[in-house]
Amino acid sequence: AKKKKKREDAGSFRWKQAIRSELERAGPAGMKEKKLRKVVVAAAAAAAVTGGSGTVDEAALIARFNSKLAKIEGCRRDDKRVILIDR
């Protein structure tokens, strides 16, 4: 039987949870996408360094952020703002 790696050991980051928590903190007005991206990518970079993966490619993190933001249900992009929609 193979042992499963713990989340901390694998150096993974919970993108959707981080994005959703920042939007909940921002309130009903949401926040600018650029500011949200900076906060979440910085947290992901810190988690990657802490997880032991060493150097971090910021362009790859930004691409992953954009991908994850597009997949989150209950999130709406209005021009430059991102708003969390109540379900």
Side-chain angles (χ1 to χ4, degrees):
K2 292 182 179 180
K3 288 186 176 181
K4 292 184 180 180
K5 289 185 176 181
K6 291 183 180 179
R7 276 186 134 349
E8 296 81 19
D9 294 341
S12 61
F13 180 72
R14 295 182 178 190
W15 287 91
K16 292 181 182 180
Q17 183 180 4
I19 292 169
R20 201 173 269 288
S21 67
E22 286 299 321
L23 289 173
E24 286 174 357
R25 187 177 300 140
M31 64 192 308
K32 289 186 178 180
E33 185 176 348
K34 186 175 181 180
K35 183 176 180 182
L36 176 65
R37 182 175 62 233
K38 282 184 179 182
V39 171
V40 175
V41 167
V49 171
T50 304
S53 64
T55 61
V56 179
D57 181 19
E58 190 171 348
L61 291 177
I62 290 172
R64 180 164 283 181
F65 168 81
N66 290 331
S67 171
K68 296 295 182 179
L69 183 61
K71 292 179 183 178
I72 293 179
E73 292 182 17
C75 254
R76 187 177 75 213
R77 287 182 177 177
D78 282 340
D79 197 23
K80 294 182 179 182
R81 296 192 78 80
V82 181
I83 299 169
L84 191 63
I85 303 169
D86 294 335
R87 291 185 185 177

